[in-house]
Amino acid sequence: PKQHAAAHRRQPLGSLRTPRAVESGREAVWLLSFMRHVDGGRGRFDGARWRARATEVAHLCRAAAHRLEARPAELRSVRAIGLMGWEREGPMWLFAEAFRRLIRRSQRASTRARGVAPLRTAIHLGEDFAHMFTGLRSIVEPFRWGIISRGDRIGHGYALGLDPAQWVREHPYCNVRRWERLLDIGFVSWAVDHFRLSVDAIVLERYRMEARDILDFIYASDDYRRGDSLAVSRSIWLALENAKVEGRHDESDDRGLRLVHRFLWRPSVNTRAQEEVSVATESEFLVLQELQRVLLEYIARWQVAIEINPSSNLLIGGLRSPFDQPAFHDHQIPITISADDPLTFATTLADEYAYAWAGMVVGNEQRPVSPAAATERLERAARDSIRYSFVRPRDDDYDADRTSRGK
């Protein structure tokens, strides 16, 4: 709600107080969660609006970094940062530089206080997208940009749990903003080389032609014609992490970064970029399937937990019923079950566990799971929810751990 967003925006960092334990043996801590947008204007796609919000978040991150550097012991109560809200109204790349800077400064601050750790992250990703490629891309990006590390959490990760075959059947055509489609093509081009994906040359040529048409439409100039359109789209995607949202930076020696800045700063470019293009998904099924497979393995190696929020997924992901839940069947990936926002979604944590169980047993026609296996999976999720809760070891645990390491 707008009132909540305004209150969230007004709260000064200096007003934070060390939270007290609610009960003996329990710990209450802060997670600094930033809104991607605060005006409630879903559907608006405006470079100036994006810059304004990203600049505001950057200021808040600098203030938080100054406070933690001045008082490193506050890392005992301020444990993590997060990003929430509609992804299409505030993509992660807008906040990448500010988040990365805050994390690095918290790392330096943590070396100056006993028994504290740097800030962790719990970012909502892969939940709000028109094309499944976009959802998968949004999950990979913070790993590449040094924002997500081992032991962090990803909220939703909806795109990782979808069945690509079912998604293609239900979305034979989808309308995608030209800017997002250009980034998706650049991402797929990078992933083909990075993950050594087996992709038909005809498919890559189709992407090359599509990228050329989109570049020609958005930029209406010859700036990108000095190279292959597939390579240009990749350079734009790779440049996102270095995008400058504060001050004017529409020129750069790096072509990809220059085109990103023109998107942000030139209204005519931004207006053309927000127009949609219809994408036929059937020809992309094999690429989607292979990409999702390697990303599941990739995240399993990182041991980052995926927060599954069944009720939230039902409304945001447009599921047909509470039982039609994406289930993560790769048991190497840690998952936790969350109520996300219990008041907004009128739910409880017990309800969410029930929905997740039913999603695996009842709603999963393609890959059914036995009741016993689903129960075991959720018991492990309960244990992982503690493991990935960002709680701080008690002082005696810290001393014992330090002693054992010294031995």
Side-chain angles (χ1 to χ4, degrees):
K2 290 184 179 180
Q3 295 88 344
H4 173 77
H8 173 87
R9 181 171 45 188
R10 288 195 303 267
Q11 185 180 25
L13 289 171
S15 68
L16 297 180
R17 296 291 183 268
T18 301
R20 295 179 300 171
V22 178
E23 297 178 20
S24 177
R26 295 194 177 186
E27 186 178 13
V29 297
W30 290 106
L31 187 153
L32 303 180
S33 191
F34 297 89
M35 291 292 295
R36 299 173 186 269
H37 56 90
V38 295
D39 55 10
R42 191 184 183 202
R44 294 174 55 194
F45 186 69
D46 184 290
R49 177 174 150 279
W50 280 13
R51 294 197 312 270
R53 181 54 185 160
T55 298
E56 184 176 12
V57 169
H59 288 328
L60 291 171
C61 285
R62 275 195 291 272
H66 286 314
R67 183 180 176 94
L68 292 177
E69 286 179 333
R71 305 175 183 178
E74 291 200 358
L75 283 168
R76 292 191 175 94
S77 56
V78 180
R79 299 295 172 76
I81 56 175
L83 187 65
M84 60 183 181
W86 297 107
E87 288 179 84
R88 278 179 270 193
E89 308 313 315
M92 180 71 234
W93 61 269
L94 290 171
F95 313 100
E97 185 177 22
F99 271 39
R100 190 167 51 230
R101 186 167 52 235
L102 173 56
I103 292 169
R104 288 174 178 170
R105 292 175 69 175
S106 78
Q107 290 170 344
R108 291 197 295 267
S110 69
T111 63
R112 296 166 40 216
R114 175 178 175 275
V116 301
L119 290 174
R120 313 300 309 195
T121 60
I123 302 172
H124 289 200
L125 299 166
E127 62 169 322
D128 172 39
F129 49 86
H131 196 295
M132 192 170 166
F133 273 147
T134 310
L136 295 173
R137 169 171 62 82
S138 71
I139 293 171
V140 171
E141 288 169 342
F143 286 91
R144 286 203 70 256
W145 300 339
I147 295 171
I148 293 181
S149 302
R150 184 182 299 273
D152 287 344
R153 301 200 307 258
I154 292 175
H156 297 277
Y158 185 66
L160 283 174
L162 291 173
D163 181 349
Q166 181 178 344
W167 185 85
V168 168
R169 284 196 302 271
E170 295 177 353
H171 303 83
Y173 294 92
C174 60
N175 293 326
V176 184
R177 290 167 176 166
R178 293 179 188 270
W179 173 253
E180 296 296 340
R181 184 60 177 172
L182 184 63
L183 297 182
D184 287 347
I185 292 174
F187 163 64
V188 172
S189 172
W190 169 84
V192 166
D193 292 339
H194 185 80
F195 295 115
R196 302 185 184 276
L197 302 182
S198 177
V199 178
D200 193 287
I202 296 177
V203 175
L204 288 178
E205 184 59 29
R206 188 182 300 121
Y207 286 144
R208 180 174 287 106
M209 296 173 62
E210 189 178 357
R212 182 188 61 204
D213 291 343
I214 295 175
L215 285 165
D216 190 38
F217 184 88
I218 292 178
Y219 292 100
S221 72
D222 294 329
D223 190 52
Y224 67 87
R225 295 186 183 278
R226 294 193 300 274
D228 173 66
S229 58
L230 202 59
V232 174
S233 65
R234 187 197 309 204
S235 72
I236 292 174
W237 178 70
L238 290 172
L240 291 178
E241 65 172 309
N242 297 313
K244 306 297 182 184
V245 296
E246 300 177 270
R248 192 168 181 101
H249 299 278
D250 61 348
E251 296 299 333
S252 169
D253 293 335
D254 180 274
R255 179 173 54 186
L257 191 58
R258 182 167 63 249
L259 294 175
V260 171
H261 288 157
R262 288 182 183 178
F263 161 78
L264 277 174
W265 290 95
R266 298 193 180 182
S268 60
V269 172
N270 189 266
T271 299
R272 291 191 293 268
Q274 68 178 305
E275 293 193 21
E276 295 182 342
V277 60
S278 180
V279 177
T281 63
E282 183 178 2
S283 62
E284 299 183 307
F285 162 65
L286 293 178
V287 184
L288 277 170
Q289 185 180 53
E290 182 70 5
L291 182 58
Q292 186 191 57
R293 181 189 64 80
V294 299
L295 290 186
L296 285 169
E297 295 174 354
Y298 180 77
I299 292 175
R301 290 196 298 271
W302 276 88
Q303 286 296 287
V304 169
I306 306 294
E307 297 176 8
I308 298 181
N309 310 280
S311 291
S312 179
N313 288 346
L314 174 67
L315 298 178
I316 295 174
L319 302 181
R320 293 167 298 184
S321 79
F323 306 111
D324 188 21
Q325 292 291 333
F328 295 89
H329 299 281
D330 187 332
H331 286 204
Q332 298 180 70
I333 294 182
I335 65 170
T336 65
I337 307 299
S338 171
D340 197 1
D341 189 335
L343 292 178
T344 299
F345 298 111
T347 187
T348 67
L349 188 57
D351 289 337
E352 300 302 291
Y353 270 88
Y355 292 150
W357 187 91
M360 286 188 276
V361 177
V362 179
N364 188 22
E365 299 176 356
Q366 301 298 322
R367 294 176 290 181
V369 176
S370 71
T375 300
E376 191 278 332
R377 181 70 165 130
L378 293 180
E379 287 175 347
R380 181 140 42 105
R383 293 192 295 270
D384 281 335
S385 68
I386 299 174
R387 178 185 174 196
Y388 288 89
S389 62
F390 306 150
V391 296
R392 180 174 61 90
R394 299 193 310 267
D395 287 342
D396 52 348
D397 291 338
Y398 172 77
D399 290 336
D401 180 66
R402 186 174 60 173
T403 302
S404 64
R405 289 175 186 271
K407 295 178 180 179

